[in-house]
Amino acid sequence: MIAPMKRAFVAIAEREKRDGLKALKRLGLIHLEPVQGRGQDHDELVARLQRLEAASALLSDYVDKKAKPEAAALSPRDAAALADATLAKAEAAKAAQDEIAALAREIERIRPWGDFEPAELTALAEAGVPLRLAEAPAKKLATLAEAWDFVRLAEAKGRVRVALLAGPEAEFPGEFAEFKLPAQGLSALEDERQDAEHRLKALKDELAAMAPKLPALKAALARLKRELDFEALRSGIAVEGPVAWLAGWVPAKDAAALEAAAAKAGWALILDEPKDEEQPPTKIENNAAVRIIQPVFDFLGTVPNYREYDISLWFLLFFGVFFAMIFGDGGYGALMLGIALWASLKGLKAGKGIADGLKLFLFLGALTVGWGAVSGSWFALPKESIPGFLQALVIEPLATWNPASGDNVKVLCFILGGIQLSIAHIKNVIRDFPKPKFLGQLGSLALVLGMYFLVLNLVVNAEKYPVPQFGLYMIIGGFAASFVFGSWETGPVQAIVDSLKNIISIFLGTVSFFADIVSYIRLWAVGLAGVAISQTVNGMASGLLRIPLAFAFGVLILFIGHGLNLVMGALSVVVHGVRLNMLEFSGHMSMEWSGYRYEPFKETVDEKTSA
């Protein structure tokens, strides 16, 4: 459930605001509204933070995973010195790289002219023999001989290089491109490049030698971030004369604890209910069984709006079923379950307990085994290769070897869709009751159930699943109820007028009910694709497994093929299993997932330990 919130305003004597903020941090109950820090101390911390972040990012490129990181903590002074040294060396390395690139371009430019000393040409010009170098198409050389004295140097790929006796004021024919003399000869440039490469390597070695200090630098960075957050709050909270005050949110159940702390510290405190236009943070409170789905929400980065639904329970139940049907194989489920059990036992042995992510994996693995058991799918083996006790668990209409199982699984998919979307509109009915608008949600519920029969008729089998008369009445009546009551705010006239204005979107929305139920067929389609891939892999390997010399190769095919199928199944769960919950189900409840997480101003574990 989403925990109710109270608006909290705390007033502290301005001279005591630092101590007051520390006390609030130890209390760890208020989600403070963000403030903009200011002042010299704040700006200096920002600059230090930026340098430590830049240094941390640079050193991460030089970490040797085999090397043991240094465990010694860094003081703020040492962390700043390490960051400055890192940035200085990185800047020098960047300058060396730029120098190497520039030298490489110059070397490539002059290489066709060979290794010569530019100073000698300069000396000749000072002695009265000005020589200039140029390049032109070889066929133009004849025209040059009529007006210029020159020495032919080389020819390659139809172009000729010459040294012309000409002063700086002379203009060459348009076909001749002058070669500008380099500052140094080819050998000298090669030596410079080699020297720059040595300097670059030395700088990189020095950065690599500093990389083991990266964990300590990151720890110092985390401390600095906490210090900056505190300083931003201290310098940014509103001050009116001798009083500083701040605003935030506190869970309603913790309001009494905040009141007691305020009374003890001598703070002024105002607690109020959230206004309609305000957006409190969202704190999800679920029991241990439902909480195991939270890692999925954390992975997706989704938080419901404070005034939206907490769908954790429904997400967990349907996501588990979708997961099992998408992987669709008891053998795969057994592998997942085995890995999860091994990791769980290892955690318990180490005294760490079982993380919610592992509990979720156990749940999903068990459901996948269950689906494989009732459908008779064990690594896509044929029926005759499955042990008798496993065959006894199969529900025949869903058995993979039953020709009718495809249609039966499709029906099951649509049943799941109808149930899940019905739950969405039932929750909307409860939310809107007793306002007349709840009748519009009842109409939407009727549309879902009516469209279910239409989907079976059009997608599965028209003869086997004719649309019942009451199904048509549900579609027509549901549309009418949605049209009249779906936009209800002040009365029937307003509701009908608004619906007429949006008649096209209302009609398309009605059609989308059909499309949303059909969308659940993806569970059958993706599961079927996985079985087909498994069967193909088994077929490729079966012949090799009968040949002694090729047995190992056959095992390798099985390992790689089923491994890739597992990876594709995991991707399919993210794409399809999550989508049905986050789009179809959530969409029917008009959820936007526009909330932000409740993150109280509190001490970290490190701060508590150091205290």
Side-chain angles (χ1 to χ4, degrees), residues 135-137 140 143 159 172-177:
E135 184 178 17
K140 299 293 183 180
T143 60
R159 296 186 66 80
F172 291 170
E175 298 88 351
F176 283 77

Side-chain angles (χ1 to χ4, degrees), residues 275-495:
K275 297 179 180 179
D276 291 341
E277 66 273 12
E278 290 180 324
Q279 179 65 275
T282 302
K283 182 183 181 183
I284 304 293
E285 293 181 335
N286 285 313
N287 58 44
V290 177
R291 196 175 58 240
I292 65 174
I293 195 62
Q294 190 58 45
V296 176
F297 291 126
D298 293 340
F299 170 75
L300 297 173
T302 53
V303 180
N305 187 299
Y306 176 74
R307 293 180 174 84
E308 292 179 341
Y309 301 106
D310 172 27
I311 63 168
S312 300
L313 173 61
W314 300 114
F315 194 108
L316 174 64
L317 296 177
F318 283 100
F319 179 73
V321 175
F322 299 161
F323 184 99
M325 294 181 70
I326 286 172
F327 274 97
D329 191 281
Y332 291 168
L335 286 176
M336 298 176 206
L337 194 57
I339 293 171
L341 284 171
W342 173 80
S344 300
L345 292 173
K346 187 177 179 182
L348 288 173
K349 199 171 182 180
K352 298 179 180 178
I354 304 176
D356 285 343
L358 269 179
K359 292 177 182 176
L360 176 63
F361 207 44
L362 287 168
F363 173 71
L364 298 175
L367 286 179
T368 306
V369 170
W371 176 257
V374 299
S375 63
S377 180
W378 298 92
F379 296 110
L381 294 172
K383 180 180 180 180
E384 56 273 14
S385 299
I386 299 174
F389 74 94
L390 291 179
Q391 291 188 35
L393 300 175
V394 174
I395 297 176
E396 194 62 29
L398 301 178
T400 54
W401 53 78
N402 184 348
S405 64
D407 283 350
N408 295 333
V409 174
K410 290 178 190 176
V411 173
L412 178 60
C413 292
F414 298 143
I415 289 174
L416 288 171
I419 292 173
Q420 190 174 34
L421 300 185
S422 295
I423 290 171
H425 290 287
I426 290 171
K427 292 177 74 69
N428 290 343
V429 168
I430 296 171
R431 177 197 63 194
D432 293 339
F433 186 83
K435 299 176 184 177
K437 200 170 184 178
F438 90 93
L439 295 172
Q441 290 299 333
L442 280 176
S444 296
L445 176 60
L447 274 172
V448 169
L449 299 175
M451 289 295 184
Y452 163 76
F453 294 110
L454 189 60
V455 167
L456 293 184
N457 179 267
L458 296 179
V459 178
V460 183
N461 190 311
E463 294 182 2
K464 190 175 180 180
Y465 300 103
V467 179
Q469 195 73 24
F470 67 86
L472 294 175
Y473 293 153
M474 294 177 80
I475 294 174
I476 297 170
F479 176 80
S482 298
F483 183 86
V484 175
F485 297 101
S487 303
W488 190 291
E489 294 295 339
T490 59
V493 175
Q494 166 268 323

Side-chain angles (χ1 to χ4, degrees), residues 41-384:
D41 291 345
H42 175 268
D43 294 343
E44 287 178 356
L45 286 173
V46 170
R48 284 171 54 194
L49 180 69
Q50 290 173 343
R51 293 186 70 78
L52 260 65
E53 286 179 333
S56 178
L58 286 166
L59 285 182
S60 63
D61 293 334
Y62 294 91
V63 171
D64 182 0
K65 294 182 179 179
K66 297 180 181 178
K68 186 177 180 180
E70 293 187 13
L74 291 173
S75 67
R77 184 187 297 274
D78 291 340
L82 176 61
D84 290 341
T86 299
L87 293 176
K89 293 183 186 301
E91 187 175 351
K94 176 67 167 57
Q97 286 178 325
D98 293 342
E99 182 182 351
I100 292 169
L103 287 169
R105 289 192 296 270
E106 183 68 356
I107 288 170
E108 289 305 309
R109 185 181 75 86
I110 68 175
R111 190 182 300 279
W113 293 85
D115 191 5
F116 64 94
E117 184 55 59
E120 294 178 358
L121 293 180
T122 303
L124 283 174
E126 292 173 352
V129 186
L131 287 178
R132 293 166 65 186
L133 305 179
E135 184 178 17
K139 60 184 179 182
K140 299 293 183 180
L141 194 60
T143 60
L144 188 67
E146 300 173 359
W148 299 81
D149 292 324
F150 67 91
V151 176
R152 180 171 178 161
L153 300 176
E155 181 177 348
K157 297 181 180 180
R159 296 186 66 80
V160 65
R161 301 183 187 92
V162 295
L164 297 99
L165 185 63
E169 71 285 350
E171 294 185 4
F172 291 170
E175 298 88 351
F176 283 77
E178 184 173 6
F179 172 73
K180 293 185 178 181
L181 292 178
Q184 300 180 79
L186 187 60
S187 296
L189 290 174
E190 291 280 11
D191 291 341
E192 276 196 23
R193 181 169 69 171
Q194 190 173 21
D195 179 65
E197 288 173 345
H198 288 158
R199 280 188 284 115
L200 177 60
K201 184 180 184 304
L203 287 166
K204 287 185 174 181
D205 289 342
E206 291 173 9
L207 287 168
M210 296 160 66
K213 296 182 179 180
L214 179 59
L217 182 63
K218 287 184 175 180
L221 178 60
R223 292 194 300 270
L224 183 57
K225 283 181 178 179
R226 293 195 294 268
E227 185 179 350
L228 176 59
D229 290 341
F230 187 88
E231 178 58 29
L233 187 60
R234 186 201 67 79
S235 62
I237 60 175
V239 176
E240 296 289 343
V243 177
W245 63 275
L246 49 88
W249 301 92
V250 62
K253 70 174 186 178
D254 295 326
L258 179 60
E259 288 176 331
K264 182 178 179 180
W267 306 328
L269 174 66
I270 298 176
L271 293 172
D272 199 4
E273 296 297 328
K275 297 179 180 179
D276 291 341
E277 66 273 12
E278 290 180 324
Q279 179 65 275
T282 302
K283 182 183 181 183
I284 304 293
E285 293 181 335
N286 285 313
N287 58 44
V290 177
R291 196 175 58 240
I292 65 174
I293 195 62
Q294 190 58 45
V296 176
F297 291 126
D298 293 340
F299 170 75
L300 297 173
T302 53
V303 180
N305 187 299
Y306 176 74
R307 293 180 174 84
E308 292 179 341
Y309 301 106
D310 172 27
I311 63 168
S312 300
L313 173 61
W314 300 114
F315 194 108
L316 174 64
L317 296 177
F318 283 100
F319 179 73
V321 175
F322 299 161
F323 184 99
M325 294 181 70
I326 286 172
F327 274 97
D329 191 281
Y332 291 168
L335 286 176
M336 298 176 206
L337 194 57
I339 293 171
L341 284 171
W342 173 80
S344 300
L345 292 173
K346 187 177 179 182
L348 288 173
K349 199 171 182 180
K352 298 179 180 178
I354 304 176
D356 285 343
L358 269 179
K359 292 177 182 176
L360 176 63
F361 207 44
L362 287 168
F363 173 71
L364 298 175
L367 286 179
T368 306
V369 170
W371 176 257
V374 299
S375 63
S377 180
W378 298 92
F379 296 110
L381 294 172
K383 180 180 180 180
E384 56 273 14

